[in-house]
């Protein structure tokens, strides 16, 4: 069953390596993360500032959440998007 996005849209920049965000499996909150390296790679591919991690996360959140959901469905307890570039929407 695919995860649902957190309706609050909240996330946390967890220094020095990842942005943490939540998704939901029904009523169960699932901790997810996207490594800074993936966000920097995506920003470079987009031609935007690789240091604007929050901005890159916000622009690509739907794709990142889709990847996390697929990982969860495949059995990963804490889905992590890392070093592979999230595909452009």
């Amino acid at each position: 069953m695919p995860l649902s996005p957190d309706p609050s849209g909240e996330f946390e920049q967890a220094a020095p390596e990842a942005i943490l965000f939540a998704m939901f499996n029904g009523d169960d909150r699932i901790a997810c993360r996207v490594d800074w390296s993936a966000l920097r790679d995506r920003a470079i591919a987009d031609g935007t500032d690789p240091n604007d991690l929050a901005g890159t996360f916000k622009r690509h959140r739907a794709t990142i959440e889709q990847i996390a959901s697929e990982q969860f469905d495949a059995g990963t307890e804490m889905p992590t998007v890392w070093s592979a570039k999230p595909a452009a929407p």
Side-chain angles (χ1 to χ4, degrees):
M1 173 180 193
L3 296 176
S4 301
D6 180 353
S8 74
E10 294 179 6
F11 63 93
E12 173 186 344
Q13 243 178 286
E17 60 196 42
I19 285 183
L20 306 177
F21 61 100
M23 295 186 73
F24 286 88
N25 182 24
D27 290 335
D28 295 330
R29 183 181 169 101
I30 307 300
C32 304
R33 61 184 276 149
V34 57
D35 284 356
W36 287 1
S37 61
L39 294 170
R40 284 193 179 103
D41 288 346
R42 184 70 259 160
I44 290 167
D46 291 348
T48 60
D49 181 0
N51 294 314
D52 182 13
L53 301 173
T56 302
F57 175 74
K58 289 175 186 175
R59 282 191 305 279
H60 294 283
R61 185 171 190 150
T63 301
I64 292 165
E65 288 175 337
Q66 179 182 347
I67 293 167
S69 182
E70 291 168 1
Q71 288 181 359
F72 182 80
D73 286 346
T76 303
E77 287 185 32
M78 182 180 189
T80 302
V81 179
W82 54 284
S83 58
K85 299 174 188 173

